[in-house]
Amino acid sequence: MSNNSELHPIEKSLLRALLPNGRLSIEKLIEAANLSTDQVRRGIEWLKFKGLISSNDKSFTVISLGSRGQERLKEGLPERRLVNAVKEGNKTLTSILKNGLLKSDEINAAIAVAKRNRWIDLSQFQTSDKVILLAASAADNLSEEEKLLQKLLVQNKMETSELSAEERKALDLLRRRPDYIVEEEKKHSEITLSDAGKKIIGSSFADEATMERSLTPEIITTGNWKNVNFSSIDVIASTPALYPGRQHPLMDIIDEVKEIFVSLGFTEIDGPITQSGFWNFDALFTPQDHPAREMQDTFYISGITQDSFATSSQIQRISDVHKEGWSYDWNIDEAKRMVLRTHTTSVTIRYLADNKPESARIFSIGRVFRNEKVSYKHLVEFNQIEGILTARRATLRDLMGLQQEFYAKLGIKKIKFWPTFFPYTEPSLQSMIYNNELDKWVEMGGMGIFRPEVTQPLGLDNPVLAWGVGIERIAMLRFGLDDVRDLYGNNLRWLRSLPKCQL
Ligand code: PHE
């Protein structure tokens, strides 16, 4: 490694922090370099890899107060209690013991230590062999043991390497008293600058510090940029991936589809999710015994009917059309039953009935419900888009042209049409688009021109082109899914894998 401009700013900060001592514990290095723990740990790995530093585990001893040490500190060490007793006038051992100031097993050691501390003098009665105790001049001085214990009380923990010579002696003495002091062996990594590391800082590190890392508005406006040395930036270095909160990809597709409709001159309409059977089926010339109306296909809302669902003339004219066209007894009770709408065509037809437009471009997007078994192809609840165009001379050709435009805007170029059947359109078509990935044609949506049996009872004179398609189908194509349930699985890994904008 010869060129230090190839070092990352974190690496440079670390080397700079290490320079004065040549070595530091990780904790001290974090402080000295003024970086986060994480940055320091990463930087250390990089520098180790480059051979600019080395790290090794160093062990050290930490001391703290033991439980007995704590107790004794509170009530006074035995030697301290002894001196206090003497000062209070208890001059003989008998009186000290009698007054319960020290226990008999403490007293000999206490005398020895108090003497060593020069806290007491011993003397003898002239008349007998009895020893008498006298407080000496140093009796009020704290002993080294007391000082160390008190310091530990305040600091909680100390490393033995931080102790002064006196404290070290005190520690030796305290070690002899069980449970006064607790000692723990610990390890930490110490980082050492290698020779290569020293060399690399030595040469040009001084002017490195004056290198400018960021281009600020000040540097530009003051014209200072002409004099400043900019450090180089690795513009192709990878960055951490960001996963901010975002809209669900399906909602992105819905937004995109709305944009497309608007760009084609369409206006959005909305309608209720629950509908009377009348608007979901009857107004669309779907006979009351049609299989789609059965419970196996449609969710009915039990216990609720809608009594005033349409005007009496609308009901009259539509029931007439059913009687004539399908030859059966139309039953108003069937029309009153409430359903979870099975298609957005119910919204379309209501809009047409209410507004009777001569020409219009309208779309709606919303949830629809089908009583189906959930599988890789089917959900019981999905989103449908519906478009209608009415104009005096609208034709099937216009409808197919519109589909081509619509799908082209979604990036789908290959499309074809297939005849099919819906009770409410004639002719009816199904659009198929070519899926390059699957290498096959897939069914997209249904469409057609509303039959006179649909338009005439509602007073619509011009042809109405209509089409509907499931949004989930479009999303599956876009995201390359072959199971529609994946869209609703909330699989975070998948959700995160989808770029918010396609590059
Ligand atoms: N309603 C049809 C469906 O749900 C789609 C369609 C809409 C067909 C409009 C013709 C006209 O599949």
Side-chain angles (χ1 to χ4, degrees):
M1 199 62 315
S2 58
N3 182 359
N4 71 35
S5 73
E6 285 168 36
L7 290 175
H8 189 276
I10 289 180
E11 294 175 307
K12 288 182 188 168
S13 302
L14 291 180
L15 292 178
R16 235 178 257 132
L18 280 168
L19 187 59
N21 281 338
R23 66 182 58 203
L24 283 177
S25 71
I26 293 209
E27 291 73 24
K28 294 269 153 59
L29 188 53
I30 289 168
E31 263 172 53
N34 198 17
L35 294 168
S36 74
T37 310
D38 212 43
Q39 287 173 318
V40 170
R41 290 199 188 283
R42 254 186 297 148
I44 286 173
E45 289 313 309
W46 301 335
L47 289 171
K48 268 196 335 203
F49 183 72
K50 294 173 182 170
L52 300 179
I53 58 167
S54 63
S55 74
N56 38 37
D57 285 346
K58 249 196 73 185
S59 51
F60 57 103
T61 309
V62 175
I63 54 170
S64 54
L65 279 182
S67 59
R68 206 175 175 82
Q70 233 151 14
E71 237 171 73
R72 289 289 184 269
L73 195 57
K74 237 187 272 158
E75 61 189 30
L77 300 183
E79 62 268 29
R80 176 58 70 195
R81 279 185 283 131
L82 176 79
V83 185
N84 289 344
V86 171
K87 285 204 281 185
E88 281 161 19
N90 299 284
K91 294 199 169 2
T92 62
L93 296 183
T94 347
S95 108
I96 291 172
L97 289 172
K98 204 177 68 203
N99 292 334
L101 299 169
L102 255 80
K103 291 191 199 104
S104 55
D105 61 349
E106 294 177 315
I107 202 143
N108 286 334
I111 292 176
V113 179
K115 262 183 81 184
R116 192 184 62 219
N117 291 349
R118 298 186 205 293
W119 286 352
I120 55 165
D121 288 324
L122 301 188
S123 166
Q124 233 156 29
F125 274 115
Q126 273 150 3
T127 49
S128 71
D129 288 347
K130 256 197 185 160
V131 176
I132 57 164
L133 308 166
L134 301 165
S137 56
D140 290 330
N141 295 353
L142 285 180
S143 67
E144 290 303 331
E145 286 111 301
E146 284 176 318
K147 284 188 208 160
L148 181 59
L149 289 172
Q150 249 149 32
K151 200 166 174 185
L152 276 173
L153 185 70
V154 176
Q155 299 200 356
N156 219 1
K157 280 180 189 304
M158 291 174 76
E159 276 184 39
T160 50
S161 59
E162 298 169 24
L163 299 180
S164 67
E166 286 77 31
E167 288 168 338
R168 221 176 276 267
K169 258 186 246 156
L171 176 62
D172 278 339
L173 292 170
L174 288 170
R175 274 186 183 135
R176 294 187 209 149
R177 307 192 190 193
D179 212 18
Y180 268 51
I181 299 279
V182 176
E183 296 184 55
E184 289 170 278
E185 285 299 312
K186 297 210 163 176
K187 272 191 181 153
H188 65 190
S189 297
E190 193 173 67
I191 309 300
T192 312
L193 207 52
S194 71
D195 288 343
K198 278 180 201 147
K199 222 157 102 197
I200 204 166
I201 324 180
S203 55
S204 57
F205 235 60
D207 35 282
E208 270 293 311
T210 66
M211 277 246 191
E212 201 53 64
R213 289 209 65 227
S214 43
L215 184 60
T216 60
E218 287 74 37
I219 294 180
I220 299 172
T221 51
T222 55
N224 226 357
W225 56 270
K226 286 179 227 158
N227 317 316
V228 167
N229 243 345
F230 286 103
S231 66
S232 57
I233 292 171
D234 184 355
V235 290
I236 56 166
S238 56
T239 56
L242 285 180
Y243 301 113
R246 57 172 285 186
Q247 184 171 275
H248 193 280
L250 193 67
M251 293 302 292
D252 289 342
I253 299 276
I254 290 179
D255 284 346
E256 192 179 332
V257 165
K258 284 187 182 182
E259 285 289 331
I260 293 175
F261 268 115
V262 170
S263 75
L264 293 170
F266 284 70
T267 305
E268 187 173 1
I269 57 167
D270 201 3
I273 277 176
T274 53
Q275 296 277 356
S276 60
F278 184 82
W279 292 111
N280 197 76
F281 297 120
D282 297 283
L284 290 164
F285 199 48
T286 307
Q288 292 186 330
D289 62 354
H290 192 280
R293 295 182 75 146
E294 281 175 19
M295 300 267 267
Q296 296 92 297
D297 285 306
T298 299
F299 291 113
Y300 285 88
I301 301 174
S302 62
I304 302 181
T305 54
Q306 198 176 34
D307 293 332
S308 51
F309 50 80
T311 66
S312 52
S313 88
Q314 283 171 334
I315 296 171
Q316 188 61 53
R317 295 169 88 172
I318 283 170
S319 69
D320 285 349
V321 152
H322 276 251
K323 281 176 201 154
E324 240 171 74
W326 299 113
S327 312
Y328 73 104
D329 274 338
W330 189 82
N331 178 357
I332 191 160
D333 291 335
E334 274 301 312
K336 286 180 185 172
R337 292 176 77 188
M338 293 289 286
V339 300
L340 289 181
R341 68 181 178 204
T342 62
H343 51 185
T344 37
T345 318
S346 56
V347 176
T348 307
I349 199 66
R350 256 194 117 156
Y351 175 85
L352 292 173
D354 291 345
N355 296 280
K356 298 188 180 51
E358 276 183 23
S359 71
R361 290 170 188 234
I362 299 297
F363 76 99
S364 75
I365 299 192
R367 255 188 271 183
V368 299
F369 306 83
R370 307 244 171 117
N371 194 358
E372 294 199 68
K373 194 165 162 33
V374 173
S375 72
Y376 72 99
K377 270 209 286 205
H378 298 294
L379 295 171
V380 287
E381 183 180 338
F382 59 97
N383 290 277
Q384 205 174 41
I385 44 178
E386 175 105 352
I388 47 168
L389 183 151
T390 177
R392 203 145 75 85
R393 289 210 181 82
T395 65
L396 196 67
R397 214 173 248 278
D398 296 322
L399 183 55
M400 292 192 285
L402 256 174
Q403 303 306 300
Q404 244 153 5
E405 287 242 14
F406 179 83
Y407 286 109
K409 285 186 186 257
L410 281 168
I412 298 166
K413 295 272 153 58
K414 249 165 126 177
I415 176 166
K416 69 180 178 184
F417 303 96
W418 212 252
T420 188
F421 173 80
F422 297 103
Y424 36 95
T425 46
E426 181 58 37
S428 304
L429 294 178
Q430 180 180 299
S431 60
M432 313 267 286
I433 62 117
Y434 193 72
N435 182 334
N436 290 328
E437 259 165 62
L438 299 179
D439 194 21
K440 66 174 189 194
W441 289 94
V442 291
E443 213 179 285
M444 285 307 278
M447 72 189 84
I449 303 179
F450 279 144
R451 304 174 71 103
E453 288 89 339
V454 172
T455 51
Q456 275 170 10
L458 300 177
L460 300 163
D461 299 327
N462 288 338
V464 178
L465 316 178
W467 77 98
V469 54
I471 289 274
E472 283 79 357
R473 290 250 171 106
I474 298 176
M476 285 170 77
L477 271 177
R478 170 67 60 84
F479 303 133
L481 299 178
D482 45 25
D483 188 331
V484 65
R485 292 169 295 197
D486 290 347
L487 284 170
Y488 292 97
N490 290 333
N491 178 339
L492 268 188
R493 189 172 340 172
W494 177 70
L495 289 169
R496 285 174 167 172
S497 74
L498 298 177
K500 181 70 185 161
C501 32
Q502 237 92 31
L503 292 179

